[in-house]
Amino acid sequence: MKKVTTAILASVAVVGLFGCQRTGNQSLKHVTNRTIGQELLVGMSMSQVRMNFGDPIDTTFTDGGLAIWDYELKRGQITPLTVIPVVNLFSYGMEGTKKQLTVLFDENEKVKKFTFSESEYQDRGGIVPQ
């Protein structure tokens, strides 16, 4: 009985310590669909975008050689089964919100287009996903 109580207390402590996690670019923390147009404008230079949002999480190029910068921020909580010892070997997960910003630059390294989205997400894994 003492081992079970200890395991439960340890699980609660883990949830308290690691229950909420943020990964990605923290500059997107306060950005919303309503405010993105105030922080990012067509015609801004790459250096202005970098100053406002930091380094992108990924950089790719179109077939024509135009740069595309991607930014992402995930904020989530681990699912309950993730903190149960032994069970978490078979099933684990996280759920929360995801913000994503994609910026396309023109040949003069100015913002040509951008898109911003905020959505719910779920990451599941293990032998028997939740």
Side-chain angles (χ1 to χ4, degrees), residues 8-122:
I8 291 171
L9 289 174
S11 297
V12 170
V14 168
V15 170
L17 290 173
F18 303 106
C20 186
Q21 297 178 348
R22 281 193 188 128
T23 60
N25 191 305
Q26 297 301 308
S27 67
L28 296 180
K29 184 173 154 182
H30 298 294
V31 176
T32 66
N33 283 314
R34 296 180 94 188
T35 65
I36 188 67
Q38 298 165 359
E39 299 182 45
L40 183 62
L41 302 169
V42 171
M44 285 179 102
S45 69
M46 279 184 167
S47 60
Q48 289 172 308
V49 174
R50 191 181 305 273
M51 195 170 21
N52 288 352
F53 298 101
D55 291 323
I57 195 166
D58 190 31
T59 301
T60 55
F61 297 90
T62 66
D63 290 340
L66 302 180
I68 301 170
W69 286 3
D70 290 310
Y71 295 87
E72 183 178 274
L73 175 65
K74 284 185 175 180
R75 181 171 188 234
Q77 297 177 332
I78 56 177
T79 56
L81 290 180
T82 302
V83 298
I84 300 174
V86 180
V87 173
N88 62 6
L89 297 175
F90 300 99
S91 182
Y92 59 87
M94 188 168 211
E95 54 192 31
T97 57
K98 174 179 161 180
K99 294 181 179 185
Q100 190 165 3
L101 172 63
T102 301
V103 183
L104 172 66
F105 294 94
D106 65 17
E107 57 280 343
N108 298 316
E109 299 185 343
K110 303 282 186 187
V111 174
K112 182 175 183 172
K113 293 181 184 180
F114 64 89
T115 181
F116 176 80
S117 65
E118 185 172 0
S119 60
E120 300 296 317
Y121 80 94
Q122 293 182 346

